[in-house]
Amino acid sequence: MGVLIIAAVAVVVPVVLGLLPKVPVPGAVLEVIAGIVIGPSVLGWVHIDVSIVVLSDLGLGMLLFLAGLEIDIDSLRGPLGRLAGVAFGGSAVLGAACAFALRLAGLVTQPLFLAIVLVSTSAGLLLPLLKDAAQEDTRFGQLVMTAAALAEVAPIMLLSLLFSATSKTAAARAASLAIFLALLVVSGLALGRVRQLPSLERLLNRLEDRSAQLRVRAALTIALAFGVLANRFGLASILGAFAAGLLVRIIDLSGHAPHPQFQTKLQGIGFGFLIPIFFIATGVQFDLRALLGNPTAIAEIPLFLAALLLVRGLPAILYARLVGHRRAVVAGLMQATTLTFVIVASQIGVADGQITPTTSASLLAAGLLSAALFPAAAMRLLAGEGPALEPTRLEDTG
């Protein structure tokens, strides 16, 4: 019954957004809020059971796989990648400073864990906004997505290495990660060679739209394989799913860029079924009563929200020379938007004893507010600027 109710909520949320197009809230935020409402904290209609856990875990894996599939590795190597990298370095310094300041204030006990959370950005929430604003192919849009991609890759790697790895020593954890990455590279080279076989290309094209759906099956099998592989090396399975998305993109399983139909089919499986279950189940597990009953936890929410804006937003001033000051502010607001990684990190942090359930609830609440407030403010600023001239050529940024 719980799965049916969650499925019904997953249908209602996009209907609400479709009927109220001016509501500036991503669907993921409404799905988490709806989960809180139907969960034990409010109505009590749904309680977590085995079937919901399984579907939610699959949804998380699919979400990370699609996030990896969206990342353009080439963009991380060019001038935009270098600029985004410098800004991310500034975020890392600010994140560590904020986390240790909160530790001195007695609000957190694991500053390194919090610092990793603070430097994250949810690229998956930003891409639809940039597309709606016709900015995804502009220099500004590419800069935002490059910075967001970097702020997804690095935190996932750090979280997997430092807090989800089961090895007891730092050297053993680093060795596990190095071996996993080496296997990823070897697999990529091998699959890339196989991918270039003309006979395979003909086979993929022939079975593209038949019941076999070979491209989709192969991609999902790769995702499962690397999720299992990461788990065997004592790393988070999310790292495997994310790496699989990158690998599928790199080996050109569907051409130089993901084939539109291929990507649409994967998104249909993910966003049409599994991923909403993950977000709604997250809301069902959210302990709203514990949060409201703890004044310290409530006070942490605006502090975490301000920390996100400072850590990810302030370094965007480095973009002003390239895109102008107004768009640098817009980019800062977008970079401070995070939700998916906060959910994942909070679950791992609670399981690993890095944070308490109430701190996890505070972080998730701050993530929800960042995803609800910052993109809306960014889009208003972007819409209010009118036609903007490109202030500086890309070559002038060095």
Side-chain angles (χ1 to χ4, degrees), residues 89-127:
S91 288
V93 173
L94 289 172
C98 285
F100 278 98
L102 290 173
R103 181 186 182 183
L104 291 176
L107 296 177
V108 297
T109 58
Q110 298 295 336
L112 181 58
F113 179 86
L114 179 60
I116 293 173
V117 174
L118 293 177
V119 299
S120 66
T121 296
S122 290
L125 297 180
L126 303 184
L127 184 59

PDB file of all heavy atoms in Angstrom, residues 89-127:
ATOM      1  N   GLY A  89      38.229  25.659  -5.495  1.00  0.00           N
ATOM      2  CA  GLY A  89      39.274  25.712  -4.473  1.00  0.00           C
ATOM      3  C   GLY A  89      38.938  26.735  -3.400  1.00  0.00           C
ATOM      4  O   GLY A  89      39.144  26.495  -2.194  1.00  0.00           O
ATOM      5  N   GLY A  90      38.417  27.890  -3.816  1.00  0.00           N
ATOM      6  CA  GLY A  90      37.975  28.886  -2.847  1.00  0.00           C
ATOM      7  C   GLY A  90      36.844  28.357  -1.987  1.00  0.00           C
ATOM      8  O   GLY A  90      36.792  28.604  -0.769  1.00  0.00           O
ATOM      9  N   SER A  91      35.916  27.602  -2.600  1.00  0.00           N
ATOM     10  CA  SER A  91      34.824  26.999  -1.835  1.00  0.00           C
ATOM     11  C   SER A  91      35.349  26.009  -0.801  1.00  0.00           C
ATOM     12  O   SER A  91      34.835  25.931   0.327  1.00  0.00           O
ATOM     13  CB  SER A  91      33.845  26.286  -2.778  1.00  0.00           C
ATOM     14  OG  SER A  91      33.082  27.206  -3.517  1.00  0.00           O
ATOM     15  N   ALA A  92      36.375  25.250  -1.184  1.00  0.00           N
ATOM     16  CA  ALA A  92      36.945  24.281  -0.248  1.00  0.00           C
ATOM     17  C   ALA A  92      37.529  24.973   0.978  1.00  0.00           C
ATOM     18  O   ALA A  92      37.337  24.530   2.125  1.00  0.00           O
ATOM     19  CB  ALA A  92      38.012  23.448  -0.954  1.00  0.00           C
ATOM     20  N   VAL A  93      38.221  26.088   0.755  1.00  0.00           N
ATOM     21  CA  VAL A  93      38.802  26.842   1.873  1.00  0.00           C
ATOM     22  C   VAL A  93      37.691  27.416   2.756  1.00  0.00           C
ATOM     23  O   VAL A  93      37.727  27.306   3.995  1.00  0.00           O
ATOM     24  CB  VAL A  93      39.711  27.969   1.347  1.00  0.00           C
ATOM     25  CG1 VAL A  93      40.170  28.868   2.498  1.00  0.00           C
ATOM     26  CG2 VAL A  93      40.911  27.377   0.618  1.00  0.00           C
ATOM     27  N   LEU A  94      36.688  28.029   2.123  1.00  0.00           N
ATOM     28  CA  LEU A  94      35.582  28.599   2.887  1.00  0.00           C
ATOM     29  C   LEU A  94      34.779  27.516   3.607  1.00  0.00           C
ATOM     30  O   LEU A  94      34.322  27.722   4.735  1.00  0.00           O
ATOM     31  CB  LEU A  94      34.658  29.379   1.948  1.00  0.00           C
ATOM     32  CG  LEU A  94      35.214  30.690   1.386  1.00  0.00           C
ATOM     33  CD1 LEU A  94      34.274  31.248   0.324  1.00  0.00           C
ATOM     34  CD2 LEU A  94      35.404  31.709   2.500  1.00  0.00           C
ATOM     35  N   GLY A  95      34.605  26.351   2.943  1.00  0.00           N
ATOM     36  CA  GLY A  95      33.871  25.258   3.572  1.00  0.00           C
ATOM     37  C   GLY A  95      34.560  24.766   4.828  1.00  0.00           C
ATOM     38  O   GLY A  95      33.913  24.532   5.862  1.00  0.00           O
ATOM     39  N   ALA A  96      35.884  24.610   4.754  1.00  0.00           N
ATOM     40  CA  ALA A  96      36.634  24.177   5.935  1.00  0.00           C
ATOM     41  C   ALA A  96      36.543  25.216   7.042  1.00  0.00           C
ATOM     42  O   ALA A  96      36.361  24.875   8.223  1.00  0.00           O
ATOM     43  CB  ALA A  96      38.090  23.927   5.551  1.00  0.00           C
ATOM     44  N   ALA A  97      36.646  26.504   6.669  1.00  0.00           N
ATOM     45  CA  ALA A  97      36.580  27.569   7.669  1.00  0.00           C
ATOM     46  C   ALA A  97      35.217  27.601   8.360  1.00  0.00           C
ATOM     47  O   ALA A  97      35.124  27.698   9.591  1.00  0.00           O
ATOM     48  CB  ALA A  97      36.876  28.919   7.014  1.00  0.00           C
ATOM     49  N   CYS A  98      34.137  27.504   7.571  1.00  0.00           N
ATOM     50  CA  CYS A  98      32.791  27.507   8.144  1.00  0.00           C
ATOM     51  C   CYS A  98      32.560  26.301   9.041  1.00  0.00           C
ATOM     52  O   CYS A  98      31.987  26.409  10.135  1.00  0.00           O
ATOM     53  CB  CYS A  98      31.741  27.534   7.033  1.00  0.00           C
ATOM     54  SG  CYS A  98      31.540  29.129   6.227  1.00  0.00           S
ATOM     55  N   ALA A  99      33.002  25.142   8.579  1.00  0.00           N
ATOM     56  CA  ALA A  99      32.791  23.915   9.345  1.00  0.00           C
ATOM     57  C   ALA A  99      33.524  23.969  10.691  1.00  0.00           C
ATOM     58  O   ALA A  99      32.972  23.591  11.735  1.00  0.00           O
ATOM     59  CB  ALA A  99      33.256  22.715   8.529  1.00  0.00           C
ATOM     60  N   PHE A 100      34.760  24.441  10.688  1.00  0.00           N
ATOM     61  CA  PHE A 100      35.510  24.521  11.942  1.00  0.00           C
ATOM     62  C   PHE A 100      34.955  25.617  12.847  1.00  0.00           C
ATOM     63  O   PHE A 100      34.993  25.493  14.077  1.00  0.00           O
ATOM     64  CB  PHE A 100      36.997  24.740  11.659  1.00  0.00           C
ATOM     65  CG  PHE A 100      37.733  23.480  11.329  1.00  0.00           C
ATOM     66  CD1 PHE A 100      37.986  23.132  10.006  1.00  0.00           C
ATOM     67  CD2 PHE A 100      38.147  22.611  12.329  1.00  0.00           C
ATOM     68  CE1 PHE A 100      38.646  21.961   9.690  1.00  0.00           C
ATOM     69  CE2 PHE A 100      38.807  21.430  12.021  1.00  0.00           C
ATOM     70  CZ  PHE A 100      39.061  21.098  10.702  1.00  0.00           C
ATOM     71  N   ALA A 101      34.419  26.695  12.251  1.00  0.00           N
ATOM     72  CA  ALA A 101      33.783  27.725  13.062  1.00  0.00           C
ATOM     73  C   ALA A 101      32.539  27.174  13.760  1.00  0.00           C
ATOM     74  O   ALA A 101      32.294  27.453  14.945  1.00  0.00           O
ATOM     75  CB  ALA A 101      33.417  28.926  12.185  1.00  0.00           C
ATOM     76  N   LEU A 102      31.760  26.378  13.040  1.00  0.00           N
ATOM     77  CA  LEU A 102      30.579  25.758  13.646  1.00  0.00           C
ATOM     78  C   LEU A 102      30.967  24.733  14.703  1.00  0.00           C
ATOM     79  O   LEU A 102      30.255  24.549  15.696  1.00  0.00           O
ATOM     80  CB  LEU A 102      29.725  25.096  12.557  1.00  0.00           C
ATOM     81  CG  LEU A 102      29.009  26.062  11.602  1.00  0.00           C
ATOM     82  CD1 LEU A 102      28.345  25.299  10.465  1.00  0.00           C
ATOM     83  CD2 LEU A 102      27.973  26.889  12.354  1.00  0.00           C
ATOM     84  N   ARG A 103      32.126  24.095  14.508  1.00  0.00           N
ATOM     85  CA  ARG A 103      32.601  23.172  15.530  1.00  0.00           C
ATOM     86  C   ARG A 103      32.993  23.930  16.799  1.00  0.00           C
ATOM     87  O   ARG A 103      32.673  23.502  17.922  1.00  0.00           O
ATOM     88  CB  ARG A 103      33.792  22.380  15.019  1.00  0.00           C
ATOM     89  CG  ARG A 103      34.319  21.369  16.059  1.00  0.00           C
ATOM     90  CD  ARG A 103      35.576  20.692  15.585  1.00  0.00           C
ATOM     91  NE  ARG A 103      36.033  19.701  16.558  1.00  0.00           N
ATOM     92  CZ  ARG A 103      37.139  19.001  16.438  1.00  0.00           C
ATOM     93  NH1 ARG A 103      37.921  19.169  15.381  1.00  0.00           N
ATOM     94  NH2 ARG A 103      37.489  18.134  17.363  1.00  0.00           N
ATOM     95  N   LEU A 104      33.687  25.052  16.647  1.00  0.00           N
ATOM     96  CA  LEU A 104      34.065  25.857  17.810  1.00  0.00           C
ATOM     97  C   LEU A 104      32.830  26.365  18.550  1.00  0.00           C
ATOM     98  O   LEU A 104      32.856  26.543  19.770  1.00  0.00           O
ATOM     99  CB  LEU A 104      34.933  27.035  17.364  1.00  0.00           C
ATOM    100  CG  LEU A 104      36.341  26.676  16.858  1.00  0.00           C
ATOM    101  CD1 LEU A 104      37.054  27.922  16.345  1.00  0.00           C
ATOM    102  CD2 LEU A 104      37.154  26.009  17.975  1.00  0.00           C
ATOM    103  N   ALA A 105      31.742  26.593  17.783  1.00  0.00           N
ATOM    104  CA  ALA A 105      30.495  27.036  18.409  1.00  0.00           C
ATOM    105  C   ALA A 105      29.740  25.887  19.055  1.00  0.00           C
ATOM    106  O   ALA A 105      28.695  26.110  19.685  1.00  0.00           O
ATOM    107  CB  ALA A 105      29.609  27.718  17.366  1.00  0.00           C
ATOM    108  N   GLY A 106      30.256  24.675  18.894  1.00  0.00           N
ATOM    109  CA  GLY A 106      29.633  23.515  19.504  1.00  0.00           C
ATOM    110  C   GLY A 106      28.448  22.957  18.767  1.00  0.00           C
ATOM    111  O   GLY A 106      27.684  22.157  19.313  1.00  0.00           O
ATOM    112  N   LEU A 107      28.277  23.344  17.498  1.00  0.00           N
ATOM    113  CA  LEU A 107      27.111  22.898  16.734  1.00  0.00           C
ATOM    114  C   LEU A 107      27.368  21.625  15.939  1.00  0.00           C
ATOM    115  O   LEU A 107      26.418  20.910  15.608  1.00  0.00           O
ATOM    116  CB  LEU A 107      26.663  24.013  15.784  1.00  0.00           C
ATOM    117  CG  LEU A 107      26.165  25.290  16.467  1.00  0.00           C
ATOM    118  CD1 LEU A 107      25.825  26.345  15.442  1.00  0.00           C
ATOM    119  CD2 LEU A 107      24.940  24.981  17.337  1.00  0.00           C
ATOM    120  N   VAL A 108      28.620  21.342  15.596  1.00  0.00           N
ATOM    121  CA  VAL A 108      28.955  20.112  14.875  1.00  0.00           C
ATOM    122  C   VAL A 108      30.185  19.495  15.508  1.00  0.00           C
ATOM    123  O   VAL A 108      30.994  20.177  16.151  1.00  0.00           O
ATOM    124  CB  VAL A 108      29.220  20.375  13.372  1.00  0.00           C
ATOM    125  CG1 VAL A 108      27.986  20.899  12.686  1.00  0.00           C
ATOM    126  CG2 VAL A 108      30.378  21.334  13.178  1.00  0.00           C
ATOM    127  N   THR A 109      30.325  18.190  15.340  1.00  0.00           N
ATOM    128  CA  THR A 109      31.484  17.481  15.891  1.00  0.00           C
ATOM    129  C   THR A 109      32.413  16.954  14.808  1.00  0.00           C
ATOM    130  O   THR A 109      33.537  16.578  15.105  1.00  0.00           O
ATOM    131  CB  THR A 109      31.015  16.299  16.762  1.00  0.00           C
ATOM    132  OG1 THR A 109      30.205  15.412  15.966  1.00  0.00           O
ATOM    133  CG2 THR A 109      30.215  16.792  17.961  1.00  0.00           C
ATOM    134  N   GLN A 110      31.948  16.916  13.551  1.00  0.00           N
ATOM    135  CA  GLN A 110      32.752  16.395  12.447  1.00  0.00           C
ATOM    136  C   GLN A 110      32.866  17.467  11.372  1.00  0.00           C
ATOM    137  O   GLN A 110      32.128  17.464  10.383  1.00  0.00           O
ATOM    138  CB  GLN A 110      32.122  15.112  11.885  1.00  0.00           C
ATOM    139  CG  GLN A 110      32.028  13.964  12.868  1.00  0.00           C
ATOM    140  CD  GLN A 110      33.408  13.467  13.277  1.00  0.00           C
ATOM    141  OE1 GLN A 110      34.385  13.635  12.563  1.00  0.00           O
ATOM    142  NE2 GLN A 110      33.491  12.855  14.449  1.00  0.00           N
ATOM    143  N   PRO A 111      33.786  18.425  11.533  1.00  0.00           N
ATOM    144  CA  PRO A 111      33.865  19.539  10.584  1.00  0.00           C
ATOM    145  C   PRO A 111      34.241  19.126   9.168  1.00  0.00           C
ATOM    146  O   PRO A 111      33.776  19.733   8.201  1.00  0.00           O
ATOM    147  CB  PRO A 111      34.935  20.454  11.193  1.00  0.00           C
ATOM    148  CG  PRO A 111      35.739  19.564  12.098  1.00  0.00           C
ATOM    149  CD  PRO A 111      34.767  18.554  12.629  1.00  0.00           C
ATOM    150  N   LEU A 112      35.067  18.094   9.021  1.00  0.00           N
ATOM    151  CA  LEU A 112      35.458  17.667   7.683  1.00  0.00           C
ATOM    152  C   LEU A 112      34.264  17.146   6.905  1.00  0.00           C
ATOM    153  O   LEU A 112      34.093  17.442   5.718  1.00  0.00           O
ATOM    154  CB  LEU A 112      36.555  16.597   7.762  1.00  0.00           C
ATOM    155  CG  LEU A 112      37.086  16.073   6.425  1.00  0.00           C
ATOM    156  CD1 LEU A 112      37.645  17.210   5.580  1.00  0.00           C
ATOM    157  CD2 LEU A 112      38.150  15.004   6.655  1.00  0.00           C
ATOM    158  N   PHE A 113      33.425  16.375   7.572  1.00  0.00           N
ATOM    159  CA  PHE A 113      32.212  15.860   6.926  1.00  0.00           C
ATOM    160  C   PHE A 113      31.319  17.017   6.483  1.00  0.00           C
ATOM    161  O   PHE A 113      30.828  17.046   5.352  1.00  0.00           O
ATOM    162  CB  PHE A 113      31.451  14.952   7.898  1.00  0.00           C
ATOM    163  CG  PHE A 113      30.172  14.395   7.347  1.00  0.00           C
ATOM    164  CD1 PHE A 113      30.177  13.233   6.588  1.00  0.00           C
ATOM    165  CD2 PHE A 113      28.963  15.041   7.572  1.00  0.00           C
ATOM    166  CE1 PHE A 113      28.988  12.723   6.061  1.00  0.00           C
ATOM    167  CE2 PHE A 113      27.784  14.537   7.057  1.00  0.00           C
ATOM    168  CZ  PHE A 113      27.799  13.376   6.308  1.00  0.00           C
ATOM    169  N   LEU A 114      31.117  17.999   7.372  1.00  0.00           N
ATOM    170  CA  LEU A 114      30.269  19.135   7.031  1.00  0.00           C
ATOM    171  C   LEU A 114      30.877  19.952   5.891  1.00  0.00           C
ATOM    172  O   LEU A 114      30.154  20.424   5.011  1.00  0.00           O
ATOM    173  CB  LEU A 114      30.068  20.024   8.260  1.00  0.00           C
ATOM    174  CG  LEU A 114      29.214  21.274   8.046  1.00  0.00           C
ATOM    175  CD1 LEU A 114      27.815  20.904   7.588  1.00  0.00           C
ATOM    176  CD2 LEU A 114      29.158  22.109   9.320  1.00  0.00           C
ATOM    177  N   ALA A 115      32.197  20.103   5.889  1.00  0.00           N
ATOM    178  CA  ALA A 115      32.852  20.866   4.824  1.00  0.00           C
ATOM    179  C   ALA A 115      32.589  20.241   3.464  1.00  0.00           C
ATOM    180  O   ALA A 115      32.355  20.955   2.473  1.00  0.00           O
ATOM    181  CB  ALA A 115      34.354  20.948   5.092  1.00  0.00           C
ATOM    182  N   ILE A 116      32.607  18.909   3.391  1.00  0.00           N
ATOM    183  CA  ILE A 116      32.344  18.229   2.123  1.00  0.00           C
ATOM    184  C   ILE A 116      30.910  18.481   1.674  1.00  0.00           C
ATOM    185  O   ILE A 116      30.641  18.707   0.488  1.00  0.00           O
ATOM    186  CB  ILE A 116      32.619  16.719   2.266  1.00  0.00           C
ATOM    187  CG1 ILE A 116      34.115  16.483   2.490  1.00  0.00           C
ATOM    188  CG2 ILE A 116      32.143  15.946   1.036  1.00  0.00           C
ATOM    189  CD1 ILE A 116      34.472  15.046   2.800  1.00  0.00           C
ATOM    190  N   VAL A 117      29.974  18.477   2.620  1.00  0.00           N
ATOM    191  CA  VAL A 117      28.575  18.750   2.274  1.00  0.00           C
ATOM    192  C   VAL A 117      28.418  20.172   1.754  1.00  0.00           C
ATOM    193  O   VAL A 117      27.701  20.430   0.776  1.00  0.00           O
ATOM    194  CB  VAL A 117      27.665  18.527   3.498  1.00  0.00           C
ATOM    195  CG1 VAL A 117      26.230  18.953   3.183  1.00  0.00           C
ATOM    196  CG2 VAL A 117      27.684  17.059   3.923  1.00  0.00           C
ATOM    197  N   LEU A 118      29.101  21.113   2.373  1.00  0.00           N
ATOM    198  CA  LEU A 118      28.934  22.516   2.022  1.00  0.00           C
ATOM    199  C   LEU A 118      29.464  22.868   0.633  1.00  0.00           C
ATOM    200  O   LEU A 118      29.038  23.867   0.048  1.00  0.00           O
ATOM    201  CB  LEU A 118      29.614  23.406   3.064  1.00  0.00           C
ATOM    202  CG  LEU A 118      28.997  23.416   4.465  1.00  0.00           C
ATOM    203  CD1 LEU A 118      29.820  24.291   5.406  1.00  0.00           C
ATOM    204  CD2 LEU A 118      27.545  23.885   4.429  1.00  0.00           C
ATOM    205  N   VAL A 119      30.411  22.089   0.109  1.00  0.00           N
ATOM    206  CA  VAL A 119      30.978  22.427  -1.202  1.00  0.00           C
ATOM    207  C   VAL A 119      30.223  21.769  -2.352  1.00  0.00           C
ATOM    208  O   VAL A 119      30.623  21.885  -3.512  1.00  0.00           O
ATOM    209  CB  VAL A 119      32.474  22.041  -1.295  1.00  0.00           C
ATOM    210  CG1 VAL A 119      33.290  22.781  -0.259  1.00  0.00           C
ATOM    211  CG2 VAL A 119      32.676  20.532  -1.158  1.00  0.00           C
ATOM    212  N   SER A 120      29.118  21.122  -2.075  1.00  0.00           N
ATOM    213  CA  SER A 120      28.390  20.398  -3.123  1.00  0.00           C
ATOM    214  C   SER A 120      27.376  21.288  -3.821  1.00  0.00           C
ATOM    215  O   SER A 120      26.890  22.273  -3.274  1.00  0.00           O
ATOM    216  CB  SER A 120      27.669  19.182  -2.519  1.00  0.00           C
ATOM    217  OG  SER A 120      26.641  19.607  -1.636  1.00  0.00           O
ATOM    218  N   THR A 121      27.057  20.919  -5.059  1.00  0.00           N
ATOM    219  CA  THR A 121      26.026  21.585  -5.853  1.00  0.00           C
ATOM    220  C   THR A 121      25.225  20.511  -6.588  1.00  0.00           C
ATOM    221  O   THR A 121      25.789  19.526  -7.051  1.00  0.00           O
ATOM    222  CB  THR A 121      26.644  22.544  -6.888  1.00  0.00           C
ATOM    223  OG1 THR A 121      27.327  23.593  -6.216  1.00  0.00           O
ATOM    224  CG2 THR A 121      25.579  23.161  -7.788  1.00  0.00           C
ATOM    225  N   SER A 122      23.925  20.708  -6.686  1.00  0.00           N
ATOM    226  CA  SER A 122      23.074  19.747  -7.394  1.00  0.00           C
ATOM    227  C   SER A 122      22.934  20.162  -8.852  1.00  0.00           C
ATOM    228  O   SER A 122      22.058  20.969  -9.214  1.00  0.00           O
ATOM    229  CB  SER A 122      21.696  19.654  -6.732  1.00  0.00           C
ATOM    230  OG  SER A 122      21.782  19.025  -5.481  1.00  0.00           O
ATOM    231  N   ALA A 123      23.807  19.614  -9.697  1.00  0.00           N
ATOM    232  CA  ALA A 123      23.779  19.968 -11.120  1.00  0.00           C
ATOM    233  C   ALA A 123      22.461  19.566 -11.764  1.00  0.00           C
ATOM    234  O   ALA A 123      21.964  20.254 -12.666  1.00  0.00           O
ATOM    235  CB  ALA A 123      24.953  19.294 -11.840  1.00  0.00           C
ATOM    236  N   GLY A 124      21.885  18.458 -11.316  1.00  0.00           N
ATOM    237  CA  GLY A 124      20.639  17.983 -11.906  1.00  0.00           C
ATOM    238  C   GLY A 124      19.479  18.939 -11.718  1.00  0.00           C
ATOM    239  O   GLY A 124      18.531  18.941 -12.514  1.00  0.00           O
ATOM    240  N   LEU A 125      19.513  19.763 -10.668  1.00  0.00           N
ATOM    241  CA  LEU A 125      18.456  20.746 -10.454  1.00  0.00           C
ATOM    242  C   LEU A 125      18.655  21.997 -11.308  1.00  0.00           C
ATOM    243  O   LEU A 125      17.702  22.729 -11.584  1.00  0.00           O
ATOM    244  CB  LEU A 125      18.395  21.150  -8.978  1.00  0.00           C
ATOM    245  CG  LEU A 125      18.041  20.055  -7.973  1.00  0.00           C
ATOM    246  CD1 LEU A 125      18.024  20.627  -6.565  1.00  0.00           C
ATOM    247  CD2 LEU A 125      16.704  19.409  -8.299  1.00  0.00           C
ATOM    248  N   LEU A 126      19.907  22.249 -11.710  1.00  0.00           N
ATOM    249  CA  LEU A 126      20.218  23.478 -12.438  1.00  0.00           C
ATOM    250  C   LEU A 126      19.983  23.362 -13.941  1.00  0.00           C
ATOM    251  O   LEU A 126      19.592  24.340 -14.588  1.00  0.00           O
ATOM    252  CB  LEU A 126      21.674  23.887 -12.183  1.00  0.00           C
ATOM    253  CG  LEU A 126      22.076  24.106 -10.728  1.00  0.00           C
ATOM    254  CD1 LEU A 126      23.505  24.603 -10.653  1.00  0.00           C
ATOM    255  CD2 LEU A 126      21.124  25.086 -10.045  1.00  0.00           C
ATOM    256  N   LEU A 127      20.228  22.185 -14.509  1.00  0.00           N
ATOM    257  CA  LEU A 127      20.127  22.028 -15.957  1.00  0.00           C
ATOM    258  C   LEU A 127      18.740  22.380 -16.489  1.00  0.00           C
ATOM    259  O   LEU A 127      18.629  23.112 -17.480  1.00  0.00           O
ATOM    260  CB  LEU A 127      20.521  20.605 -16.359  1.00  0.00           C
ATOM    261  CG  LEU A 127      20.557  20.326 -17.863  1.00  0.00           C
ATOM    262  CD1 LEU A 127      21.543  21.261 -18.554  1.00  0.00           C
ATOM    263  CD2 LEU A 127      20.925  18.865 -18.127  1.00  0.00           C
TER     264      LEU A 127
END
